[in-house]
Amino acid sequence: MKIVYSIGSIANSGGIERVLCTKANYFADILDYEIHIIVLNDPGKTFFPFSKKIHIHSLGIERIIHKPWMVFGSRSRKEYQKKLFQKLEEIRPDITISVFGLDAEFLYKATDGSKKVLEFHFTKNYLRHLGNALINDKYRLIRKIWLEFLLAKERYYARKYQHIVLLTEKDKFLWGGRKKFTVIPNPLSFETEHAAPLTNQQIISMGRLVAPKGFQYLIRAFALLKKDFPDWKLHIYGEGHDQSMLLTLIKELSLSENIMIAPPTQNTASVLLSSSIFVLSSLYDGFGLVLTEAMECGVPCVAFDCECGPSEIITDKKDGFLVRLRDVNELSEQMKLLMSDKVLRLKMGEAAKQNVKRFGVGKVMNRWVEFFEEIK
């Protein structure tokens, strides 16, 4: 089978790129599919290790200059469309998959003969949640109106496709539960025989340093525990425009000796195996890939019960804890339970490692194979 993935770039360290790497490598190396990835411009060096069997095509587009209000398309978008369609005619794939970038606005028009599929890596209402997360934005009302416009625009283009893959059953419900929507969760990006000993006094979190990731709530929750757990550390791995704000907050709370913010790491497994608790403080999430990675390492998790992912990954009070959204006190209390009870950590960590097997790469990729066979 010949499959094309269309994505702006594979040079970044985001979850979409990580998941694409896992799936594309499995298709190419295990199933011997012919896999092509079309990007705007040659990334040179990718953050994640893509198989050498994968064909990576650059459209030679340095920069896209396109604004959402350009209903009839900018020159950049037209160039993107033209070059992408030419490349698809050259490759002639069986299936073409978009990760819902700018190409989603026109990919359905391509006449190369392939089935067109959208992968949606967020929750349906993520832009609405984004607006609600920008609590310190003085232009919040205007921005929320703008985000509603963008949300309506995404839904308009989604109607153009017959096949859309979502990450959770909750999100399918939000989209209306129609047959055009298929739920396939993200596969584990790695598997390990090891399990964290859960003896290090270290809490881990990962993600972009932006308001929707809720790190400000995590930092405030950790501050409530400093007096009783002075030797515990919180390590946050990520980068983003909120980094200076978070560092200021850490300093104001006198936590500079206890909290470290580090760049994204490629050694996710080793970092998780050296930790004892993982916390996801996202205010919304399409899935929560880092939760499954932590669970694979036998690390119990605490997460806000946000829309849509954590509740379909964590079994509350069995392999982790789900916390009311934005409830700093409850988040702190559940972290405290795990920090103060090693036996509980080990029990939940063992359950986490067992329960996360349902997201094993083989099981999830079999669902993709069945989906492809059904639509081709």
Side-chain angles (χ1 to χ4, degrees):
M1 189 175 294
K2 189 185 297 187
I3 299 171
V4 163
Y5 283 95
S6 174
I7 184 172
S9 172
I10 52 174
N12 302 319
S13 61
I16 294 176
E17 292 83 1
R18 177 177 295 182
V19 171
L20 173 58
C21 180
T22 301
K23 293 189 296 190
N25 287 353
Y26 189 93
F27 284 137
D29 294 335
I30 306 300
L31 299 183
D32 203 29
Y33 285 6
E34 184 179 327
I35 302 299
H36 299 257
I37 300 176
I38 303 176
V39 298
L40 290 171
N41 197 34
D42 187 352
K45 184 178 180 181
T46 61
F47 189 87
F48 299 108
F50 284 84
S51 168
K52 293 182 180 179
K53 295 177 67 175
I54 295 172
H55 308 274
I56 298 176
H57 306 268
S58 169
L59 298 180
I61 300 175
E62 292 289 342
R63 183 184 177 194
I64 293 286
I65 302 174
H66 177 77
K67 303 300 181 184
W69 59 79
M70 295 178 176
V71 179
F72 299 105
S74 64
R75 183 177 299 177
S76 288
R77 196 186 83 159
K78 291 175 181 176
E79 179 190 15
Y80 186 11
Q81 177 177 330
K82 179 181 178 181
K83 290 189 173 183
L84 178 59
F85 286 9
Q86 288 175 341
K87 185 59 67 174
L88 290 175
E89 288 289 348
E90 175 187 321
I91 299 171
R92 302 294 294 183
D94 298 304
I95 296 170
T96 302
I97 302 172
S98 165
V99 296
F100 219 135
L102 178 60
D103 56 346
E105 295 186 6
F106 51 77
L107 181 62
Y108 64 92
K109 299 178 182 178
T111 58
D112 58 286
S114 65
K115 298 290 185 179
K116 308 302 186 300
V117 177
L118 284 186
E119 283 186 10
F120 198 63
H121 288 261
F122 308 96
T123 166
K124 180 188 180 185
N125 298 316
Y126 79 103
L127 289 171
R128 187 170 295 153
H129 294 307
L130 173 59
N132 293 333
L134 301 174
I135 57 177
N136 296 319
D137 186 350
K138 64 180 179 179
Y139 301 110
R140 185 184 179 198
L141 180 59
I142 297 174
R143 205 176 299 274
K144 287 182 73 172
I145 293 172
W146 176 243
L147 290 171
E148 287 294 331
F149 164 73
L150 296 180
L151 196 61
K153 189 177 181 182
E154 284 192 343
R155 292 173 183 176
Y156 169 79
Y157 285 113
R159 289 197 292 269
K160 302 292 185 180
Y161 292 83
Q162 294 299 312
H163 308 289
I164 300 178
V165 177
L166 306 174
L167 295 173
T168 64
E169 293 293 340
K170 175 66 179 295
D171 205 32
K172 182 176 180 179
F173 171 79
L174 292 174
W175 278 97
R178 288 171 290 165
K179 287 186 177 181
K180 69 185 292 181
F181 298 104
T182 299
V183 175
I184 305 178
N186 284 332
L188 278 167
S189 50
F190 62 82
E191 296 181 14
T192 175
E193 296 179 356
H194 304 290
L198 308 181
T199 53
N200 292 338
Q201 295 178 320
Q202 184 168 290
I203 299 170
I204 294 292
S205 191
M206 297 178 178
R208 290 181 298 117
L209 305 181
V210 293
K213 293 299 182 181
F215 288 119
Q216 65 272 29
Y217 298 98
L218 171 56
I219 291 169
R220 292 189 184 280
F222 186 81
L224 298 176
L225 302 167
K226 179 185 176 183
K227 181 179 178 180
D228 294 332
F229 301 91
D231 297 327
W232 277 76
K233 309 293 183 183
L234 169 61
H235 291 179
I236 299 172
Y237 290 86
E239 57 188 9
H241 56 69
D242 277 1
Q243 182 166 344
S244 59
M245 180 273 287
L246 295 173
L247 289 172
T248 299
L249 178 61
I250 290 168
K251 187 175 181 180
E252 289 175 352
L253 295 173
S254 302
L255 292 170
S256 298
E257 298 297 319
N258 300 82
I259 300 179
M260 176 194 77
I261 295 181
T265 177
Q266 292 179 309
N267 300 315
T268 303
S270 62
V271 166
L272 289 168
L273 288 168
S274 67
S275 67
S276 293
I277 302 168
F278 183 89
V279 180
L280 183 79
S281 54
S282 294
L283 305 181
Y284 63 87
D285 211 311
F287 182 70
L289 180 65
V290 287
L291 285 177
T292 62
E293 292 172 337
M295 293 169 71
E296 171 62 17
C297 292
V299 179
C301 299
V302 183
F304 280 143
D305 190 9
C306 64
E307 188 178 279
C308 283
S311 63
E312 294 190 30
I313 298 173
I314 293 175
T315 303
D316 190 32
K317 298 180 178 61
K318 298 292 185 181
D319 51 31
F321 292 108
L322 294 171
V323 177
R324 286 187 299 271
L325 199 62
R326 293 188 175 88
D327 192 328
V328 171
N329 289 326
E330 187 183 359
L331 181 62
S332 180
E333 284 299 315
Q334 304 295 28
M335 291 165 60
K336 182 179 180 179
L337 278 176
L338 289 170
M339 293 164 74
S340 60
D341 191 338
K342 182 185 175 183
V343 174
L344 179 63
R345 291 202 302 272
L346 289 169
K347 180 181 178 181
M348 283 193 161
E350 184 178 353
K353 192 166 181 65
Q354 289 301 314
N355 292 346
V356 82
K357 292 184 183 299
R358 67 191 189 276
F359 300 115
V361 64
K363 292 183 178 180
V364 173
M365 297 311 293
N366 282 341
R367 293 171 68 171
W368 275 104
V369 172
E370 291 172 0
F371 172 69
F372 288 157
E373 291 295 332
E374 182 180 327
I375 69 171
K376 75 173 185 178

